[in-house]
Amino acid sequence: MREISSAWKKKGETIGFVPTMGCLHPGHMSLVERAKNENSKVVLSIFVNPAQFAPGEDFERYPRDFERDEKFCKKKGVDIIFYPSAGEMYPAKNSTVISLPRLANKLCGKTRAGHFKGVTLVVTKLFNIISPQKAYFGQKDYQQYRIIQTLTDDLNFPTEIVLCPIVREESGLALSSRNIYLNKREKKAAERIYATLMKAKETTNMRELEEFLKEEELITVEYLKLVDSYTLHTNAKGSLVVIAAYVGKTRLIDNILL
Ligand code: PAF
């Protein structure tokens, strides 16, 4: 990957990078389209990163379908799929920890122990291997985006982080590889998450919004907060509403920038 990447750069090509864990959906494809528009080459990585799953999470059952993903990528004109094994990415037990506690200890970081340390480690490794000029992240994982943006600034990575809008089903449900876990009834119930975000345009009374979200009996709220979109601190004057909720046994996240 390094050889290809430096040969491309010598020829004056620019590299747009889309990091993924596979099970690609139109949300990922919108990142690829943006990367294609803004760069001469596009690299997409598929790596279900064990380091970002806490014990008891869905690492084993996380959906994997390389052949389907490969077709998707060919159709969209991805130049290279970088598809390493866990042994190649983590040949030895890693000692390096990259932690951004101020951004990572809240929201999803509160319940997903070590998750963001796994994300920052793998993204750092991928950036060092691929050396892209631009990297594309979806807004659905807004906290991840803020952490990667800060990591990139703090460590002087020569990579520009591009935030891309959430892609939704017609019902408003944000596309996610984990939507595959939802049965029909749960999928319907999950629509309440987007409906709550829409309601946040009218009121930012969090108690009222939480009551509305909880009216759907299959939903268990993990957090619903109004936060500052830069610091992620809870802030009554913030502009970002973030939700994490279980629909049955499936944990979904979503957000809206007001
Ligand atoms: O958002 C994801 O799919 C993952 O967290 C990422 C950025 C590919 C790192 O494993």
Side-chain angles (χ1 to χ4, degrees):
M1 185 67 244
R2 274 217 169 120
E3 277 168 20
I4 293 168
S5 186
S6 57
W8 276 347
K9 284 192 172 167
K10 274 191 199 122
K11 283 202 217 149
E13 311 277 14
T14 58
I15 304 172
F17 173 42
V18 180
T20 83
M21 300 207 298
C23 190
L24 304 177
H25 53 64
H28 296 112
M29 289 306 125
S30 75
L31 306 182
V32 171
E33 272 163 28
R34 178 96 180 255
K36 280 223 60 97
N37 284 341
E38 298 180 354
N39 305 275
S40 58
K41 297 286 181 192
V42 174
V43 177
L44 179 142
S45 65
I46 298 179
F47 181 58
V48 184
N49 174 31
Q52 70 186 71
F53 289 80
E57 286 189 354
D58 56 346
F59 175 68
E60 271 86 25
R61 72 177 188 126
Y62 195 85
R64 293 161 172 89
D65 190 345
F66 182 74
E67 269 152 42
R68 185 179 155 275
D69 290 347
E70 193 182 25
K71 277 193 205 130
F72 238 138
C73 288
K74 276 198 180 140
K75 208 164 115 199
K76 287 285 171 185
V78 168
D79 295 279
I80 295 225
I81 304 175
F82 182 63
Y83 180 48
S85 67
E88 284 172 300
M89 284 303 272
Y90 300 114
K93 205 167 169 18
N94 274 84
S95 325
T96 306
V97 178
I98 305 165
S99 90
L100 290 79
R102 273 204 297 257
L103 287 168
N105 286 353
K106 44 175 69 79
L107 307 178
C108 293
K110 273 200 165 159
T111 49
R112 302 194 67 192
H115 168 67
F116 288 116
K117 285 182 187 148
V119 171
T120 50
L121 183 62
V122 83
V123 169
T124 301
K125 286 159 82 74
L126 292 167
F127 281 6
N128 281 331
I129 295 165
I130 295 159
S131 207
Q133 273 96 341
K134 292 190 180 188
Y136 296 80
F137 290 84
Q139 188 190 315
K140 186 173 71 65
D141 298 281
Y142 188 89
Q143 186 176 14
Q144 166 171 280
Y145 154 74
R146 274 298 300 134
I147 288 171
I148 301 298
Q149 173 70 76
T150 307
L151 166 81
T152 307
D153 289 346
D154 287 356
L155 300 186
N156 302 89
F157 279 103
T159 300
E160 184 189 323
I161 305 302
V162 182
L163 178 67
C164 302
I166 299 175
V167 178
R168 300 181 179 281
E169 290 194 358
E170 236 171 83
S171 67
L173 177 64
L175 296 191
S176 160
S177 305
R178 289 189 169 97
N179 290 353
I180 238 172
Y181 302 149
L182 302 170
N183 65 31
K184 220 168 152 197
R185 167 77 185 88
E186 289 169 338
K187 208 163 175 194
K188 187 87 196 120
E191 291 175 16
R192 188 45 84 119
I193 296 175
Y194 183 61
T196 307
L197 294 174
M198 285 293 99
K199 216 174 157 62
K201 285 183 169 179
E202 295 150 26
T203 172
T204 50
N205 179 326
M206 289 296 118
R207 201 178 305 161
E208 209 178 294
L209 290 178
E210 190 159 339
E211 284 310 312
F212 180 72
L213 181 55
K214 279 181 177 161
E215 268 172 27
E216 173 47 68
E217 57 184 24
L218 289 186
I219 291 190
T220 313
V221 184
E222 183 181 299
Y223 62 73
L224 164 58
K225 285 179 191 286
L226 178 61
V227 300
D228 180 289
S229 63
Y230 191 76
T231 62
L232 306 181
H233 289 315
T234 302
N235 184 334
K237 291 200 180 102
S239 62
L240 178 72
V241 180
V242 282
I243 294 180
Y246 280 87
V247 182
K249 287 199 170 94
T250 305
R251 186 178 180 280
L252 300 177
I253 55 172
D254 202 346
N255 66 76
I256 191 168
L257 276 162
L258 296 175

